[in-house]
Amino acid sequence: MGDRHGLSWRLVLVSHAMLWLILSLVTAFFESLRDVANKTSSTLHNDYVITWSLNAFTALLLLPFTLVLGTPTINPPFWNALLAGSFLNAIAYLYFIKAIRLSDLSKVAPLTTFTPLFLLLTSPILVGEFPTTWGLLGILLIVSGAYLLNFAQRQTSYLQPLRALLNERGARFMLLVAFLWSLTSNFDKIGLQNSSPLFWVTTVYAANALWLFPLMLLKCQGWREQIQAKPLPLLAIGGFNAIAVACQMTALSLTLVAYVIAIKRTSAMFNVLWGRFVFQETGLKQRLLGTTIMVLGVAVIALS
């Protein structure tokens, strides 16, 4: 009887671990689709219109589900996390869209993989979470894979990925985004712990949109006409992002922030494929080594 009970408990633990892993991988896939839609929209819409629409449509699409589930108990730390997280997210998304417009998707998207590296510094400070040794190894493998993905684009020297960060505006913007998201990921954890995953993500994206709306009014006088003329790409961005962030917040409630964000950043692998087959970007074969190392990092984290 004791053995049977022990086996059942182990199965519950395994299924719990698999759930956050599956949710994180779903997040990565739909994030990559969102990035494709972002890149496509960059030829049709102003950066401020895309950034505002991403956040506003995400909140709007999640709102019905949030209303059905009802308002959870909201604890005081929620409000500080919402204020700080939404402000930083608004800045991050704006520079994210600018980076995608300025550079190839397969060149800059992998740089968001540096978020887990920054999380090694920010998570212990903000939420008191420390990865295990194996988890740390997995994060470092994913970051190393991202380095090789970027390195393979030019093949001029081993310092080329670092030079790209210094010389290309798109790369510099994306590295800033990776750092900002290392902060907002922790605020996400605080926010959902003091409300609920779905309520938090709906609220924070609505707040992002509120921060961005005055900027859009100031920087894009024809914003209404742009949205009305071609709304479907913008709705696609919001739809893909809504699925991604709902899965991400649920995964964050099940495990460490650094682990979820590390798996989420494997969206870089999908982005390399989309870059080649959708946007005809070059260098697919050379990036296979980096992709393989990233997959290995995912496996190490999943088994830690």
Side-chain angles (χ1 to χ4, degrees), residues 41-53:
S41 293
S42 68
T43 62
L44 305 172
H45 303 97
N46 179 277
D47 289 347
Y48 296 91
V49 170
I50 297 173
T51 309
W52 179 82
S53 298

Side-chain angles (χ1 to χ4, degrees), residues 114-127:
F114 282 89
T115 299
L117 185 62
F118 292 132
L119 278 166
L120 297 179
L121 302 175
T122 60
S123 283
I125 296 171
L126 294 176
V127 294

Side-chain angles (χ1 to χ4, degrees), residues 121-144:
L121 302 175
T122 60
S123 283
I125 296 171
L126 294 176
V127 294
E129 292 184 351
F130 298 86
T132 65
T133 302
W134 284 106
L136 179 61
L137 175 61
I139 291 170
L140 293 177
L141 283 170
I142 290 175
V143 172
S144 299

Side-chain angles (χ1 to χ4, degrees), residues 202-247:
T202 305
T203 306
V204 77
Y205 272 88
N208 295 347
L210 288 175
W211 284 113
L212 290 163
F213 190 67
L215 271 177
M216 184 174 66
L217 291 180
L218 184 65
K219 297 289 188 177
C220 184
Q221 294 183 356
W223 65 272
R224 187 181 287 107
E225 290 76 13
Q226 285 194 34
I227 294 174
Q228 291 174 345
K230 294 188 180 294
L232 289 181
L234 299 174
L235 284 170
I237 292 170
F240 292 142
N241 195 60
I243 296 171
V245 295
C247 292

